[in-house]
Amino acid sequence: MKRGLLIVVSGASGTGKGTVCKKILDDLPGIAYSVSATTRAPRPGEIDGKEYYFLSREDFKAWIAEEKFLEFAEVYGNFYGTPLNKIEERLNRGEDILLEIDVQGALNVKKKCPEGVYIFLLPPSLEELKRRIEGRGTETPESLSRRLANAVAEIKIGLEYDYVVVNDTVDNAVAQIKSILTAERLKVARNFDKFNFKGDFLNET
Ligand code: ADP
Ligand code: 5GP
């Protein structure tokens, strides 16, 4: 059984990770989304267990103590973590898993799983990033300026990733991510089985 791909997508808040990842998951039904846990409050329309597992700080600490996380990090004053949730067994069963997590978490996962596919999503410009966060209408003026101030530092960490995709249009970004996944699946290291030719025609000559 071929091991699945661990796909990690990060980028500054407001770049469009959620939007792009949703389209990838809709278009490529074989990929499972890793639902993170968070202590932040749900946004309108977010459902517990779908976008996130919404936990109290006490419950989040209990999950840490029970070693239920592959990684966790504090982002903008709230905790976020990737539940272990049998990720290793699922990859070994050939399942592809998509993690949409912040840069601190991604670098921690990269140390544990260097064979993962690390994709950094960039906004076309900082002005467009600001417009997108404002347009989403989810932030207070304070949290907007905090996210923008942090974006520049976060974007520099993108240099540590394997791939960079500019989210100019969602369709372009999704097409580029699909190309990355196609190339990753064609790596020799993932396809040793294809080199095992059976048959004895070589003995016939
Ligand atoms: P993130 O998950 O990175 O914080 P979101 O997916 O919530 O970002 O996107 C932030 C806002 O930008 C949303 O209102 C979304 O509709 C919009 N958006 C996402 N991608 C694009 C794009 N390529 N062009 C224009 N707007 C976009
Ligand atoms: P938001 O509150 O906008 O949904 O997410 C804020 C940030 O937390 C985003 O950068 C998002 O990628 C990140 N994030 C979401 N889930 C996780 C996770 O499980 N671990 C880490 N480290 N970051 C996460």
Side-chain angles (χ1 to χ4, degrees), residues 11-71:
S13 173
T15 304
K17 301 180 296 292
T19 309
V20 169
C21 287
K22 185 173 180 313
K23 187 146 176 29
I24 290 282
L25 294 166
D26 287 348
D27 288 7
L28 305 173
I31 301 178
Y33 180 66
S34 160
V35 178
S36 295
T38 182
T39 60
R40 89 149 159 70
R43 292 179 184 145
E46 285 184 334
I47 297 165
D48 188 37
K50 185 162 179 269
E51 281 79 12
Y52 285 106
Y53 298 109
F54 294 101
L55 302 184
S56 65
R57 286 195 166 237
E58 292 66 37
D59 286 346
F60 198 96
K61 282 185 193 154
W63 281 36
I64 297 173
E66 290 161 26
E67 300 187 349
K68 284 190 177 174
F69 289 119
L70 172 64
E71 63 74 35

Side-chain angles (χ1 to χ4, degrees), residues 11-21 43 100 121 124 128-129 131-138 147 167-171 173:
S13 173
T15 304
K17 301 180 296 292
T19 309
V20 169
C21 287
R43 292 179 184 145
E100 188 219 301
L121 205 59
E128 174 61 14
L129 181 68
R131 268 194 294 278
R132 285 185 190 174
I133 306 179
E134 280 172 341
R136 190 170 63 187
T138 51
R147 281 173 194 243
N167 179 22
D168 47 6
T169 70
V170 175
D171 284 349

Side-chain angles (χ1 to χ4, degrees), residues 9-183:
V9 176
S10 304
S13 173
T15 304
K17 301 180 296 292
T19 309
V20 169
C21 287
K22 185 173 180 313
K23 187 146 176 29
I24 290 282
L25 294 166
D26 287 348
D27 288 7
L28 305 173
I31 301 178
Y33 180 66
S34 160
V35 178
S36 295
T38 182
T39 60
R40 89 149 159 70
R43 292 179 184 145
E46 285 184 334
I47 297 165
D48 188 37
K50 185 162 179 269
E51 281 79 12
Y52 285 106
Y53 298 109
F54 294 101
L55 302 184
S56 65
R57 286 195 166 237
E58 292 66 37
D59 286 346
F60 198 96
K61 282 185 193 154
W63 281 36
I64 297 173
E66 290 161 26
E67 300 187 349
K68 284 190 177 174
F69 289 119
L70 172 64
E71 63 74 35
F72 64 91
E74 190 175 356
V75 190
Y76 302 117
N78 288 302
F79 286 97
Y80 294 80
T82 306
L84 269 171
N85 207 6
K86 302 197 167 60
I87 286 183
E88 192 55 30
E89 293 95 304
R90 289 162 66 193
L91 291 172
N92 283 335
R93 279 205 305 268
E95 208 174 309
D96 297 329
I97 303 180
L98 175 72
L99 269 52
E100 188 219 301
I101 60 175
D102 92 310
V103 289
Q104 311 167 67
L107 293 187
N108 284 332
V109 176
K110 200 166 188 235
K111 279 185 214 138
K112 293 182 185 171
C113 310
E115 80 287 1
V117 185
Y118 295 85
I119 304 173
F120 196 81
L121 205 59
L122 280 176
S125 67
L126 288 178
E127 290 73 26
E128 174 61 14
L129 181 68
K130 182 166 183 276
R131 268 194 294 278
R132 285 185 190 174
I133 306 179
E134 280 172 341
R136 190 170 63 187
T138 51
E139 308 308 316
T140 61
E142 295 75 43
S143 73
L144 170 67
S145 44
R146 198 166 166 204
R147 281 173 194 243
L148 283 175
N150 210 29
V152 178
E154 270 185 299
I155 284 171
K156 284 194 186 133
I157 302 177
L159 291 166
E160 312 263 337
Y161 284 61
D162 300 321
Y163 297 97
V164 60
V165 169
V166 176
N167 179 22
D168 47 6
T169 70
V170 175
D171 284 349
N172 280 346
V174 167
Q176 290 183 3
I177 291 176
K178 284 183 186 169
S179 302
I180 292 168
L181 300 181
T182 301

